[in-house]
Structures are given as C-alpha cells and as structure tokens.
Amino acid sequence: SLTGTALQLQALARLMEEDLPAARVQLREVQRLIAADQRDLRFFIEELKPMPRSLGGPADLADRLAELAARLKRLWDLDVTFRLEDLGGRLSEAFTRQLYRLLREALFNVARHAGAARAGVEVARRDGALEIAVSDDGRGFPFTGRYDFTELNRLKLGPVSLKERVSALGGSLAIDSQPGRTRLEIRLPAPGRPR
C-alpha cells in the first residue's frame, strides 16, 4: 500500500505541472487511501493486544464482541449488532476463541471491503452445530447470487482466509451476494464443554 501511494505521489508531482484540476482530484484520492490504511493499521495494532487467557463462554464472548463492535464503529463507522442464542455455556474455551477469531475476520472484511453502514451477526446452537449468519448492507462481492461451499471453492470465489478458517474448523460456508445486501451463512460442528 505504501509503495502504491509513493508511486501515485510521483505521478502527482508530474501532473501538477500539466493539469492542476486533475492533480487536485488525484491528491484527494491519495488522502483517502492513506486514511484507509491508517484505519487498518489502528485495527491491526489493537488486535495485537493479548486476548484474555480465559475466553470461556458465551458471556466472555459477548463482552469481546461488544469491544469489537465499538472498535469497528470508531474506526470505520460500521454499526454492528450481535444476537447470540442458545449457546448455554456448552462451548469449550478453545472453540470459543476460534469462534471469536472467525467473527472478527468476517466483520473486518465487511469493514474494509463492503462499504457498509450496518452489519449483523447471529449465532445459534442447533442440532449439535453452530449456525452463524453475518449480513451487511454493503456493495456485495464481485459476484451475484447464492453459492455454497463447494461452488465457492470450485470457482475460487469468496474470502480465501475466511474459507480456510471455516474449513479448518470442519464447517461449511455459503454466500448470498446482492448489491446492497450480503449474507454469509456458516455452519460449524460445535464441540461441547464437559458438564
């Protein structure tokens, strides 16, 4: 990103001598890119802070997600709502940590790429699995329609690292992408905490 900005500034120096109005437009674009990179960097720096050793259950997860929502609002002006249903304290600490990381990555993708004002996350435990939906009102993916995990992988569509994370957890992902509305549906086998 910094290399691209440096190249744009070099071109801008030449453009200032030839076409001042076009140079002003280009300068505003460089400023916009730098501001976006600053937001990304702030987010990454905050994410480097150590996660509490104990992220043991739904209450801890809800607190961490509330912190994440506050950061996304502050840095990208993205309003995020969460609905966690029927988790019942039965998720293991290790799984809860992985779930948090997956949700964080999905929302970070929305903040960076979707141009969305609002996003919603629903997590419910049903039939021994977690059903997760992440939706937003942004511009959607470069493709339109609904694609299941097999199609996404076959056509090389969707966010690569999120697909890898879902796959590593033994889950599946479907994406429904429309202009102004995107929904990711993730299903994960949910190992329970021993009682």
Side-chain angles (χ1 to χ4, degrees):
S1 179
L2 289 173
T3 300
T5 301
L7 291 172
Q8 285 186 334
L9 288 172
Q10 284 177 351
L12 180 60
R14 287 189 301 273
L15 193 58
M16 286 180 71
E17 295 175 10
E18 300 166 8
D19 187 351
L20 196 53
R24 285 189 185 113
V25 170
Q26 183 69 22
L27 181 58
R28 282 192 292 276
E29 176 62 16
V30 170
Q31 288 172 321
R32 188 191 64 75
L33 291 172
I34 290 172
D37 287 343
Q38 285 174 320
R39 283 192 306 269
D40 291 353
L41 189 55
R42 279 190 214 106
F43 189 85
F44 286 130
I45 288 169
E46 287 191 35
E47 286 301 307
L48 288 174
K49 294 177 183 174
M51 186 179 288
R53 289 202 72 184
S54 172
L55 182 59
D60 296 334
L61 178 62
D63 290 344
R64 289 285 289 169
L65 291 174
E67 291 171 13
L68 177 62
R71 272 186 277 153
L72 291 167
K73 176 65 176 171
R74 188 174 63 250
L75 296 175
W76 279 284
D77 198 26
L78 177 66
D79 288 315
V80 181
T81 57
F82 292 97
R83 193 168 79 211
L84 307 176
E85 315 177 352
D86 193 27
L87 300 182
R90 296 174 291 187
L91 301 178
S92 70
E93 183 177 332
F95 185 84
T96 302
R97 192 175 297 112
Q98 289 299 321
L99 175 60
Y100 170 78
R101 289 181 179 133
L102 184 144
L103 294 175
R104 179 186 65 195
E105 183 169 347
L107 289 169
F108 183 71
N109 287 344
V110 170
R112 283 195 79 201
H113 305 298
R118 286 177 299 283
V121 177
E122 300 171 27
V123 182
R125 187 177 182 132
R126 294 189 184 96
D127 301 323
L130 276 191
E131 294 183 0
I132 302 161
V134 180
S135 56
D136 68 73
D137 63 356
R139 64 180 144 268
F141 285 90
F143 54 88
T144 301
R146 181 174 170 79
Y147 296 83
D148 67 17
F149 207 32
T150 303
E151 293 170 312
L152 290 169
N153 287 326
R154 182 175 57 82
L155 299 170
K156 296 182 177 21
L157 298 175
V160 174
S161 61
L162 187 63
K163 289 191 307 184
E164 289 171 352
R165 192 177 293 276
V166 168
S167 187
L169 291 170
S172 63
L173 168 70
I175 296 176
D176 185 0
S177 178
Q178 308 293 332
R181 181 185 59 80
T182 301
R183 182 177 170 93
L184 279 68
E185 296 171 1
I186 301 167
R187 185 171 170 88
L188 300 175
R193 167 181 278 149
R195 292 191 179 264

